[in-house]
Short mmCIF file of all heavy atoms in Angstrom, two decimals:
data_model
loop_
_atom_site.label_atom_id
_atom_site.label_comp_id
_atom_site.label_asym_id
_atom_site.label_seq_id
_atom_site.Cartn_x
_atom_site.Cartn_y
_atom_site.Cartn_z
N MET A 1 -21.67 -15.61 11.88
CA MET A 1 -21.41 -14.64 10.85
C MET A 1 -20.40 -15.16 9.84
O MET A 1 -20.54 -14.94 8.65
CB MET A 1 -20.91 -13.34 11.48
CG MET A 1 -20.72 -12.24 10.49
SD MET A 1 -22.12 -11.84 9.43
CE MET A 1 -23.39 -11.44 10.61
N SER A 2 -19.39 -15.87 10.32
CA SER A 2 -18.39 -16.37 9.39
C SER A 2 -19.01 -17.34 8.38
O SER A 2 -18.62 -17.34 7.21
CB SER A 2 -17.22 -17.03 10.12
OG SER A 2 -17.66 -18.14 10.87
N ALA A 3 -19.99 -18.12 8.80
CA ALA A 3 -20.67 -19.03 7.88
C ALA A 3 -21.42 -18.24 6.82
O ALA A 3 -21.41 -18.60 5.63
CB ALA A 3 -21.61 -19.96 8.63
N ARG A 4 -22.09 -17.17 7.20
CA ARG A 4 -22.80 -16.34 6.23
C ARG A 4 -21.84 -15.74 5.21
O ARG A 4 -22.11 -15.71 4.02
CB ARG A 4 -23.56 -15.22 6.92
CG ARG A 4 -24.83 -15.68 7.59
CD ARG A 4 -25.56 -14.49 8.14
NE ARG A 4 -26.80 -14.92 8.75
CZ ARG A 4 -27.91 -14.23 8.71
NH1 ARG A 4 -27.95 -13.06 8.11
NH2 ARG A 4 -28.99 -14.67 9.29
N LEU A 5 -20.73 -15.23 5.71
CA LEU A 5 -19.74 -14.64 4.81
C LEU A 5 -19.18 -15.70 3.85
O LEU A 5 -19.08 -15.47 2.65
CB LEU A 5 -18.61 -13.99 5.60
CG LEU A 5 -19.00 -12.81 6.49
CD1 LEU A 5 -17.81 -12.34 7.31
CD2 LEU A 5 -19.59 -11.68 5.68
N THR A 6 -18.83 -16.84 4.40
CA THR A 6 -18.28 -17.92 3.58
C THR A 6 -19.26 -18.35 2.50
O THR A 6 -18.87 -18.57 1.35
CB THR A 6 -17.89 -19.12 4.46
OG1 THR A 6 -16.91 -18.69 5.41
CG2 THR A 6 -17.32 -20.26 3.63
N ASN A 7 -20.53 -18.44 2.84
CA ASN A 7 -21.54 -18.85 1.87
C ASN A 7 -21.75 -17.84 0.76
O ASN A 7 -22.22 -18.18 -0.32
CB ASN A 7 -22.87 -19.14 2.57
CG ASN A 7 -22.83 -20.41 3.38
OD1 ASN A 7 -22.04 -21.31 3.11
ND2 ASN A 7 -23.65 -20.48 4.41
N ALA A 8 -21.39 -16.58 0.99
CA ALA A 8 -21.54 -15.54 -0.03
C ALA A 8 -20.34 -15.48 -0.98
O ALA A 8 -20.39 -14.78 -1.98
CB ALA A 8 -21.74 -14.18 0.64
N LEU A 9 -19.28 -16.21 -0.64
CA LEU A 9 -18.05 -16.16 -1.43
C LEU A 9 -17.95 -17.31 -2.41
O LEU A 9 -18.75 -18.24 -2.39
CB LEU A 9 -16.84 -16.18 -0.49
CG LEU A 9 -16.74 -15.02 0.48
CD1 LEU A 9 -15.57 -15.23 1.42
CD2 LEU A 9 -16.61 -13.70 -0.26
N ARG A 10 -16.93 -17.24 -3.25
CA ARG A 10 -16.65 -18.31 -4.20
C ARG A 10 -15.75 -19.34 -3.54
O ARG A 10 -15.03 -19.02 -2.59
CB ARG A 10 -15.90 -17.74 -5.42
CG ARG A 10 -16.58 -16.59 -6.11
CD ARG A 10 -15.66 -15.88 -7.07
NE ARG A 10 -14.44 -15.45 -6.38
CZ ARG A 10 -13.30 -15.16 -6.96
NH1 ARG A 10 -13.18 -15.22 -8.27
NH2 ARG A 10 -12.25 -14.79 -6.26
N PRO A 11 -15.76 -20.57 -4.05
CA PRO A 11 -14.80 -21.56 -3.54
C PRO A 11 -13.38 -21.01 -3.75
O PRO A 11 -13.07 -20.43 -4.78
CB PRO A 11 -15.04 -22.79 -4.41
CG PRO A 11 -16.43 -22.62 -4.94
CD PRO A 11 -16.65 -21.13 -5.07
N GLY A 12 -12.54 -21.15 -2.76
CA GLY A 12 -11.17 -20.66 -2.87
C GLY A 12 -10.95 -19.29 -2.25
O GLY A 12 -9.81 -18.92 -1.99
N ASP A 13 -12.02 -18.51 -2.03
CA ASP A 13 -11.89 -17.24 -1.32
C ASP A 13 -11.68 -17.54 0.16
O ASP A 13 -12.10 -18.59 0.65
CB ASP A 13 -13.13 -16.37 -1.52
CG ASP A 13 -13.27 -15.86 -2.95
OD1 ASP A 13 -12.28 -15.89 -3.69
OD2 ASP A 13 -14.39 -15.46 -3.31
N THR A 14 -11.06 -16.63 0.87
CA THR A 14 -10.70 -16.86 2.27
C THR A 14 -11.35 -15.83 3.18
O THR A 14 -11.32 -14.64 2.90
CB THR A 14 -9.17 -16.78 2.44
OG1 THR A 14 -8.56 -17.72 1.57
CG2 THR A 14 -8.75 -17.08 3.86
N VAL A 15 -11.93 -16.31 4.29
CA VAL A 15 -12.50 -15.44 5.32
C VAL A 15 -11.68 -15.65 6.59
O VAL A 15 -11.41 -16.77 6.99
CB VAL A 15 -13.98 -15.79 5.63
CG1 VAL A 15 -14.50 -14.95 6.78
CG2 VAL A 15 -14.83 -15.61 4.41
N SER A 16 -11.30 -14.55 7.23
CA SER A 16 -10.55 -14.62 8.47
C SER A 16 -11.14 -13.61 9.46
O SER A 16 -11.40 -12.47 9.09
CB SER A 16 -9.08 -14.30 8.21
OG SER A 16 -8.36 -14.25 9.42
N ARG A 17 -11.34 -14.05 10.68
CA ARG A 17 -11.82 -13.13 11.72
C ARG A 17 -10.61 -12.43 12.30
O ARG A 17 -9.71 -13.04 12.87
CB ARG A 17 -12.56 -13.91 12.80
CG ARG A 17 -13.14 -13.02 13.86
CD ARG A 17 -13.98 -13.81 14.82
NE ARG A 17 -14.45 -12.96 15.89
CZ ARG A 17 -14.92 -13.41 17.02
NH1 ARG A 17 -15.03 -14.71 17.21
NH2 ARG A 17 -15.32 -12.59 17.94
N ARG A 18 -10.58 -11.14 12.15
CA ARG A 18 -9.44 -10.33 12.60
C ARG A 18 -9.53 -10.10 14.10
O ARG A 18 -8.56 -10.28 14.82
CB ARG A 18 -9.41 -9.00 11.86
CG ARG A 18 -8.22 -8.17 12.15
CD ARG A 18 -8.11 -7.04 11.13
NE ARG A 18 -6.90 -6.29 11.38
CZ ARG A 18 -6.85 -5.17 12.08
NH1 ARG A 18 -7.95 -4.66 12.59
NH2 ARG A 18 -5.70 -4.56 12.26
N SER A 19 -10.68 -9.65 14.57
CA SER A 19 -10.93 -9.45 16.00
C SER A 19 -12.41 -9.18 16.17
O SER A 19 -13.07 -8.75 15.23
CB SER A 19 -10.11 -8.28 16.56
OG SER A 19 -10.54 -7.07 16.00
N GLY A 20 -12.92 -9.44 17.34
CA GLY A 20 -14.32 -9.13 17.66
C GLY A 20 -15.27 -9.25 16.50
O GLY A 20 -15.64 -10.32 16.09
N ASP A 21 -15.66 -8.10 15.94
CA ASP A 21 -16.62 -8.08 14.85
C ASP A 21 -15.98 -7.68 13.52
O ASP A 21 -16.65 -7.22 12.62
CB ASP A 21 -17.78 -7.14 15.18
CG ASP A 21 -17.33 -5.70 15.37
OD1 ASP A 21 -16.11 -5.45 15.42
OD2 ASP A 21 -18.20 -4.82 15.48
N GLU A 22 -14.67 -7.87 13.41
CA GLU A 22 -13.96 -7.51 12.18
C GLU A 22 -13.51 -8.77 11.43
O GLU A 22 -12.92 -9.67 12.03
CB GLU A 22 -12.73 -6.66 12.49
CG GLU A 22 -13.06 -5.31 13.07
CD GLU A 22 -11.82 -4.49 13.36
OE1 GLU A 22 -10.70 -4.91 13.00
OE2 GLU A 22 -11.98 -3.42 13.95
N PHE A 23 -13.80 -8.79 10.14
CA PHE A 23 -13.41 -9.90 9.29
C PHE A 23 -12.61 -9.37 8.11
O PHE A 23 -12.82 -8.24 7.66
CB PHE A 23 -14.64 -10.64 8.75
CG PHE A 23 -15.40 -11.38 9.81
CD1 PHE A 23 -16.34 -10.74 10.59
CD2 PHE A 23 -15.18 -12.74 10.03
CE1 PHE A 23 -17.05 -11.42 11.57
CE2 PHE A 23 -15.87 -13.42 11.01
CZ PHE A 23 -16.82 -12.76 11.78
N VAL A 24 -11.70 -10.18 7.62
CA VAL A 24 -10.93 -9.88 6.42
C VAL A 24 -11.24 -10.96 5.40
O VAL A 24 -11.28 -12.15 5.74
CB VAL A 24 -9.42 -9.85 6.71
CG1 VAL A 24 -8.63 -9.66 5.43
CG2 VAL A 24 -9.09 -8.77 7.72
N ILE A 25 -11.48 -10.56 4.16
CA ILE A 25 -11.79 -11.51 3.10
C ILE A 25 -10.79 -11.32 1.98
O ILE A 25 -10.57 -10.20 1.51
CB ILE A 25 -13.23 -11.30 2.58
CG1 ILE A 25 -14.22 -11.52 3.73
CG2 ILE A 25 -13.52 -12.21 1.41
CD1 ILE A 25 -15.63 -11.13 3.39
N LEU A 26 -10.17 -12.41 1.56
CA LEU A 26 -9.22 -12.38 0.45
C LEU A 26 -9.84 -13.09 -0.74
O LEU A 26 -10.21 -14.27 -0.64
CB LEU A 26 -7.91 -13.07 0.83
CG LEU A 26 -6.88 -13.22 -0.29
CD1 LEU A 26 -6.42 -11.84 -0.77
CD2 LEU A 26 -5.70 -14.06 0.17
N CYS A 27 -9.98 -12.36 -1.83
CA CYS A 27 -10.56 -12.91 -3.06
C CYS A 27 -9.55 -12.71 -4.19
O CYS A 27 -9.34 -11.58 -4.63
CB CYS A 27 -11.86 -12.20 -3.41
SG CYS A 27 -13.09 -12.28 -2.11
N GLU A 28 -8.96 -13.79 -4.61
CA GLU A 28 -7.99 -13.70 -5.71
C GLU A 28 -8.72 -13.87 -7.04
O GLU A 28 -9.85 -14.32 -7.09
CB GLU A 28 -6.92 -14.77 -5.53
CG GLU A 28 -6.13 -14.59 -4.23
CD GLU A 28 -5.00 -15.56 -4.09
OE1 GLU A 28 -4.01 -15.39 -4.81
OE2 GLU A 28 -5.14 -16.49 -3.27
N ASP A 29 -8.03 -13.51 -8.10
CA ASP A 29 -8.54 -13.69 -9.46
C ASP A 29 -9.76 -12.84 -9.78
O ASP A 29 -10.62 -13.24 -10.57
CB ASP A 29 -8.85 -15.16 -9.76
CG ASP A 29 -7.62 -16.04 -9.58
OD1 ASP A 29 -6.52 -15.58 -9.92
OD2 ASP A 29 -7.76 -17.18 -9.11
N LEU A 30 -9.88 -11.68 -9.17
CA LEU A 30 -10.90 -10.72 -9.57
C LEU A 30 -10.23 -9.70 -10.48
O LEU A 30 -9.27 -9.05 -10.08
CB LEU A 30 -11.50 -10.02 -8.35
CG LEU A 30 -12.27 -10.90 -7.36
CD1 LEU A 30 -12.71 -10.09 -6.16
CD2 LEU A 30 -13.47 -11.54 -8.04
N SER A 31 -10.70 -9.59 -11.71
CA SER A 31 -10.00 -8.76 -12.68
C SER A 31 -10.72 -7.45 -12.99
O SER A 31 -10.15 -6.56 -13.61
CB SER A 31 -9.77 -9.54 -13.97
OG SER A 31 -11.02 -9.97 -14.50
N GLU A 32 -11.98 -7.33 -12.57
CA GLU A 32 -12.75 -6.13 -12.89
C GLU A 32 -13.42 -5.58 -11.63
O GLU A 32 -13.84 -6.33 -10.76
CB GLU A 32 -13.84 -6.46 -13.92
CG GLU A 32 -13.29 -6.98 -15.24
CD GLU A 32 -14.40 -7.37 -16.18
OE1 GLU A 32 -15.58 -7.09 -15.89
OE2 GLU A 32 -14.09 -7.97 -17.22
N GLU A 33 -13.53 -4.26 -11.59
CA GLU A 33 -14.16 -3.63 -10.44
C GLU A 33 -15.60 -4.09 -10.25
O GLU A 33 -16.09 -4.18 -9.13
CB GLU A 33 -14.11 -2.11 -10.58
CG GLU A 33 -12.72 -1.55 -10.42
CD GLU A 33 -12.69 -0.04 -10.49
OE1 GLU A 33 -13.67 0.60 -10.08
OE2 GLU A 33 -11.67 0.48 -10.96
N GLY A 34 -16.30 -4.38 -11.34
CA GLY A 34 -17.68 -4.85 -11.24
C GLY A 34 -17.80 -6.14 -10.45
O GLY A 34 -18.78 -6.36 -9.73
N GLN A 35 -16.80 -7.02 -10.55
CA GLN A 35 -16.80 -8.26 -9.78
C GLN A 35 -16.70 -7.95 -8.29
O GLN A 35 -17.35 -8.60 -7.47
CB GLN A 35 -15.63 -9.15 -10.20
CG GLN A 35 -15.74 -9.71 -11.59
CD GLN A 35 -14.48 -10.46 -11.97
OE1 GLN A 35 -13.38 -9.89 -11.95
NE2 GLN A 35 -14.63 -11.72 -12.31
N VAL A 36 -15.90 -6.96 -7.95
CA VAL A 36 -15.71 -6.58 -6.55
C VAL A 36 -17.00 -5.96 -6.01
O VAL A 36 -17.42 -6.27 -4.89
CB VAL A 36 -14.53 -5.59 -6.42
CG1 VAL A 36 -14.36 -5.15 -4.98
CG2 VAL A 36 -13.25 -6.22 -6.94
N GLU A 37 -17.62 -5.11 -6.81
CA GLU A 37 -18.88 -4.50 -6.38
C GLU A 37 -19.96 -5.56 -6.18
O GLU A 37 -20.72 -5.50 -5.21
CB GLU A 37 -19.32 -3.46 -7.40
CG GLU A 37 -18.40 -2.25 -7.44
CD GLU A 37 -18.65 -1.35 -8.63
OE1 GLU A 37 -19.60 -1.60 -9.39
OE2 GLU A 37 -17.88 -0.38 -8.79
N GLY A 38 -20.02 -6.53 -7.08
CA GLY A 38 -20.99 -7.62 -6.94
C GLY A 38 -20.75 -8.41 -5.67
O GLY A 38 -21.69 -8.80 -4.97
N LEU A 39 -19.50 -8.65 -5.36
CA LEU A 39 -19.15 -9.35 -4.14
C LEU A 39 -19.61 -8.57 -2.91
O LEU A 39 -20.20 -9.12 -1.98
CB LEU A 39 -17.64 -9.59 -4.08
CG LEU A 39 -17.10 -10.15 -2.77
CD1 LEU A 39 -17.69 -11.53 -2.49
CD2 LEU A 39 -15.59 -10.19 -2.80
N ALA A 40 -19.37 -7.26 -2.91
CA ALA A 40 -19.78 -6.42 -1.77
C ALA A 40 -21.30 -6.47 -1.58
O ALA A 40 -21.79 -6.54 -0.45
CB ALA A 40 -19.31 -4.99 -1.98
N VAL A 41 -22.05 -6.46 -2.67
CA VAL A 41 -23.52 -6.53 -2.59
C VAL A 41 -23.94 -7.87 -2.02
O VAL A 41 -24.81 -7.94 -1.14
CB VAL A 41 -24.16 -6.28 -3.97
CG1 VAL A 41 -25.64 -6.63 -3.96
CG2 VAL A 41 -23.95 -4.85 -4.40
N ARG A 42 -23.33 -8.97 -2.49
CA ARG A 42 -23.67 -10.31 -1.96
C ARG A 42 -23.38 -10.39 -0.47
O ARG A 42 -24.17 -10.93 0.31
CB ARG A 42 -22.90 -11.41 -2.70
CG ARG A 42 -23.41 -11.72 -4.07
CD ARG A 42 -22.92 -13.06 -4.61
NE ARG A 42 -21.54 -13.38 -4.34
CZ ARG A 42 -20.49 -13.07 -5.10
NH1 ARG A 42 -20.68 -12.36 -6.21
NH2 ARG A 42 -19.27 -13.44 -4.77
N LEU A 43 -22.23 -9.86 -0.05
CA LEU A 43 -21.88 -9.89 1.37
C LEU A 43 -22.86 -9.07 2.19
O LEU A 43 -23.33 -9.51 3.25
CB LEU A 43 -20.45 -9.37 1.57
CG LEU A 43 -19.33 -10.26 1.06
CD1 LEU A 43 -18.01 -9.52 1.07
CD2 LEU A 43 -19.25 -11.54 1.87
N ASP A 44 -23.19 -7.87 1.72
CA ASP A 44 -24.13 -7.00 2.43
C ASP A 44 -25.50 -7.67 2.55
O ASP A 44 -26.11 -7.65 3.61
CB ASP A 44 -24.22 -5.66 1.73
CG ASP A 44 -24.95 -4.62 2.55
OD1 ASP A 44 -24.67 -4.51 3.76
OD2 ASP A 44 -25.82 -3.93 1.99
N ASP A 45 -25.98 -8.27 1.45
CA ASP A 45 -27.27 -8.97 1.48
C ASP A 45 -27.24 -10.13 2.47
O ASP A 45 -28.20 -10.35 3.22
CB ASP A 45 -27.65 -9.48 0.10
CG ASP A 45 -28.02 -8.38 -0.87
OD1 ASP A 45 -28.25 -7.23 -0.42
OD2 ASP A 45 -28.08 -8.66 -2.09
N SER A 46 -26.15 -10.86 2.50
CA SER A 46 -26.03 -12.00 3.40
C SER A 46 -26.05 -11.55 4.86
O SER A 46 -26.70 -12.16 5.70
CB SER A 46 -24.73 -12.75 3.10
OG SER A 46 -24.54 -13.81 3.99
N ILE A 47 -25.34 -10.48 5.14
CA ILE A 47 -25.29 -9.97 6.51
C ILE A 47 -26.63 -9.40 6.94
O ILE A 47 -27.07 -9.59 8.08
CB ILE A 47 -24.19 -8.88 6.62
CG1 ILE A 47 -22.82 -9.53 6.44
CG2 ILE A 47 -24.27 -8.14 7.95
CD1 ILE A 47 -21.70 -8.54 6.19
N ALA A 48 -27.33 -8.73 6.03
CA ALA A 48 -28.59 -8.05 6.36
C ALA A 48 -29.77 -9.01 6.51
O ALA A 48 -30.80 -8.62 7.06
CB ALA A 48 -28.91 -7.01 5.29
N THR A 49 -29.65 -10.25 6.06
CA THR A 49 -30.74 -11.22 6.18
C THR A 49 -31.01 -11.48 7.66
O THR A 49 -30.10 -11.91 8.39
CB THR A 49 -30.39 -12.54 5.47
OG1 THR A 49 -30.14 -12.26 4.10
CG2 THR A 49 -31.52 -13.55 5.60
N PRO A 50 -32.22 -11.21 8.13
CA PRO A 50 -32.52 -11.42 9.56
C PRO A 50 -32.34 -12.88 9.98
O PRO A 50 -32.51 -13.79 9.17
CB PRO A 50 -33.99 -11.01 9.69
CG PRO A 50 -34.28 -10.20 8.49
CD PRO A 50 -33.38 -10.70 7.41
N PHE A 51 -31.97 -13.09 11.23
CA PHE A 51 -31.90 -14.45 11.78
C PHE A 51 -32.64 -14.48 13.10
O PHE A 51 -32.86 -13.46 13.74
CB PHE A 51 -30.45 -14.93 11.91
CG PHE A 51 -29.63 -14.15 12.90
CD1 PHE A 51 -29.50 -14.59 14.21
CD2 PHE A 51 -28.97 -13.00 12.52
CE1 PHE A 51 -28.74 -13.88 15.12
CE2 PHE A 51 -28.19 -12.28 13.42
CZ PHE A 51 -28.08 -12.73 14.72
N ASP A 52 -33.05 -15.68 13.48
CA ASP A 52 -33.85 -15.88 14.68
C ASP A 52 -32.95 -16.11 15.89
O ASP A 52 -32.06 -16.96 15.85
CB ASP A 52 -34.78 -17.08 14.50
CG ASP A 52 -35.65 -17.29 15.72
OD1 ASP A 52 -36.62 -16.52 15.89
OD2 ASP A 52 -35.34 -18.21 16.51
N LEU A 53 -33.15 -15.33 16.92
CA LEU A 53 -32.43 -15.50 18.17
C LEU A 53 -33.46 -15.63 19.29
O LEU A 53 -34.03 -14.63 19.74
CB LEU A 53 -31.50 -14.31 18.42
CG LEU A 53 -30.65 -14.37 19.68
CD1 LEU A 53 -29.69 -15.55 19.64
CD2 LEU A 53 -29.90 -13.07 19.86
N GLU A 54 -33.75 -16.87 19.64
CA GLU A 54 -34.73 -17.18 20.69
C GLU A 54 -36.06 -16.50 20.43
O GLU A 54 -36.64 -15.85 21.31
CB GLU A 54 -34.16 -16.81 22.06
CG GLU A 54 -32.93 -17.60 22.43
CD GLU A 54 -32.39 -17.27 23.81
OE1 GLU A 54 -33.02 -16.48 24.55
OE2 GLU A 54 -31.35 -17.83 24.15
N GLY A 55 -36.54 -16.59 19.19
CA GLY A 55 -37.84 -16.06 18.83
C GLY A 55 -37.85 -14.59 18.44
O GLY A 55 -38.91 -14.04 18.15
N ILE A 56 -36.70 -13.97 18.42
CA ILE A 56 -36.60 -12.56 18.04
C ILE A 56 -35.84 -12.46 16.73
O ILE A 56 -34.76 -13.02 16.58
CB ILE A 56 -35.87 -11.74 19.13
CG1 ILE A 56 -36.63 -11.82 20.46
CG2 ILE A 56 -35.69 -10.29 18.69
CD1 ILE A 56 -35.88 -11.24 21.63
N ALA A 57 -36.42 -11.73 15.77
CA ALA A 57 -35.74 -11.52 14.50
C ALA A 57 -34.66 -10.45 14.69
O ALA A 57 -34.96 -9.32 15.05
CB ALA A 57 -36.72 -11.09 13.42
N VAL A 58 -33.43 -10.82 14.46
CA VAL A 58 -32.30 -9.92 14.64
C VAL A 58 -31.76 -9.53 13.26
O VAL A 58 -31.55 -10.39 12.41
CB VAL A 58 -31.19 -10.59 15.47
CG1 VAL A 58 -29.98 -9.67 15.60
CG2 VAL A 58 -31.71 -10.98 16.84
N GLU A 59 -31.56 -8.24 13.06
CA GLU A 59 -31.00 -7.74 11.80
C GLU A 59 -29.67 -7.07 12.09
O GLU A 59 -29.53 -6.33 13.06
CB GLU A 59 -31.96 -6.73 11.16
CG GLU A 59 -33.29 -7.34 10.76
CD GLU A 59 -34.21 -6.34 10.11
OE1 GLU A 59 -33.72 -5.35 9.53
OE2 GLU A 59 -35.43 -6.53 10.20
N LEU A 60 -28.69 -7.34 11.24
CA LEU A 60 -27.37 -6.76 11.38
C LEU A 60 -27.05 -5.87 10.19
O LEU A 60 -27.68 -5.98 9.14
CB LEU A 60 -26.31 -7.86 11.46
CG LEU A 60 -26.45 -8.87 12.61
CD1 LEU A 60 -25.40 -9.95 12.48
CD2 LEU A 60 -26.33 -8.16 13.94
N SER A 61 -26.09 -5.01 10.36
CA SER A 61 -25.58 -4.20 9.24
C SER A 61 -24.05 -4.24 9.32
O SER A 61 -23.48 -4.67 10.33
CB SER A 61 -26.09 -2.77 9.31
OG SER A 61 -25.62 -2.15 10.49
N ALA A 62 -23.40 -3.80 8.26
CA ALA A 62 -21.94 -3.83 8.23
C ALA A 62 -21.40 -2.68 7.43
O ALA A 62 -22.07 -2.12 6.55
CB ALA A 62 -21.47 -5.14 7.63
N SER A 63 -20.18 -2.31 7.72
CA SER A 63 -19.42 -1.39 6.90
C SER A 63 -18.43 -2.25 6.12
O SER A 63 -17.76 -3.10 6.70
CB SER A 63 -18.64 -0.39 7.76
OG SER A 63 -19.54 0.41 8.48
N ILE A 64 -18.36 -2.03 4.82
CA ILE A 64 -17.47 -2.84 3.98
C ILE A 64 -16.47 -1.93 3.31
O ILE A 64 -16.83 -0.96 2.63
CB ILE A 64 -18.29 -3.62 2.91
CG1 ILE A 64 -19.27 -4.58 3.60
CG2 ILE A 64 -17.37 -4.35 1.96
CD1 ILE A 64 -20.21 -5.28 2.62
N GLY A 65 -15.20 -2.21 3.52
CA GLY A 65 -14.12 -1.49 2.87
C GLY A 65 -13.46 -2.41 1.85
O GLY A 65 -13.35 -3.61 2.09
N ILE A 66 -13.05 -1.87 0.73
CA ILE A 66 -12.49 -2.70 -0.34
C ILE A 66 -11.15 -2.12 -0.79
O ILE A 66 -11.02 -0.92 -1.01
CB ILE A 66 -13.44 -2.75 -1.55
CG1 ILE A 66 -14.77 -3.38 -1.15
CG2 ILE A 66 -12.81 -3.49 -2.71
CD1 ILE A 66 -15.83 -3.29 -2.21
N ALA A 67 -10.18 -3.02 -0.95
CA ALA A 67 -8.91 -2.67 -1.60
C ALA A 67 -8.81 -3.56 -2.82
O ALA A 67 -8.81 -4.78 -2.71
CB ALA A 67 -7.73 -2.92 -0.66
N PHE A 68 -8.77 -2.95 -4.01
CA PHE A 68 -8.75 -3.70 -5.26
C PHE A 68 -7.44 -3.44 -5.99
O PHE A 68 -7.06 -2.29 -6.23
CB PHE A 68 -9.94 -3.27 -6.15
CG PHE A 68 -9.97 -3.95 -7.49
CD1 PHE A 68 -10.19 -5.31 -7.58
CD2 PHE A 68 -9.81 -3.21 -8.64
CE1 PHE A 68 -10.24 -5.93 -8.81
CE2 PHE A 68 -9.86 -3.83 -9.88
CZ PHE A 68 -10.08 -5.19 -9.97
N ALA A 69 -6.73 -4.52 -6.30
CA ALA A 69 -5.44 -4.37 -6.96
C ALA A 69 -5.42 -5.13 -8.28
O ALA A 69 -4.38 -5.58 -8.71
CB ALA A 69 -4.34 -4.88 -6.03
N GLY A 70 -6.57 -5.27 -8.91
CA GLY A 70 -6.65 -6.04 -10.16
C GLY A 70 -6.57 -5.15 -11.37
O GLY A 70 -6.28 -3.96 -11.30
N GLY A 71 -6.86 -5.77 -12.49
CA GLY A 71 -6.96 -5.04 -13.72
C GLY A 71 -5.67 -4.93 -14.51
O GLY A 71 -5.57 -4.16 -15.45
N GLY A 72 -4.67 -5.72 -14.14
CA GLY A 72 -3.48 -5.74 -14.96
C GLY A 72 -2.38 -4.98 -14.38
O GLY A 72 -1.37 -4.67 -14.75
#
C-alpha cells in the first residue's frame, strides 16, 4: 500500500505508516484547495485499483481526512 500511495504523490511529498492500516501524508507547497482535492482523488483511485492476490482480484477502499493550512 505504501508503494501505491507514494506513486500517487509528487516528488518530495512524504508518506509515513502511523500504525496498522493508517498512513499520514505530508504535502508541502500546496497553495490551493483544488490541489488538495486533486491529490485526494489520485490517492483514492490508486487505493481502489484492484490487485491480484494468488489469483483473486482484491479491491480496497479508504477514508481520507485532510488538514489544509495553505492559501497565505
Side-chain angles (χ1 to χ4, degrees):
M1 184 54 58
S2 62
R4 283 185 178 215
L5 296 175
T6 300
N7 289 335
L9 298 176
R10 305 166 305 160
D13 291 341
T14 303
V15 175
S16 175
R17 183 174 175 196
R18 186 167 184 263
S19 67
D21 62 351
E22 294 180 7
F23 292 84
V24 175
I25 299 171
L26 175 63
C27 303
E28 298 185 73
D29 302 323
L30 296 176
S31 59
E32 300 176 9
E33 289 183 31
Q35 292 174 302
V36 178
E37 292 168 4
L39 172 62
V41 169
R42 285 197 320 271
L43 290 169
D44 192 46
D45 289 346
S46 177
I47 293 166
T49 301
F51 65 94
D52 182 76
L53 181 63
E54 297 182 4
I56 300 171
V58 177
E59 297 181 26
L60 300 176
S61 62
S63 297
I64 298 174
I66 298 171
F68 177 66

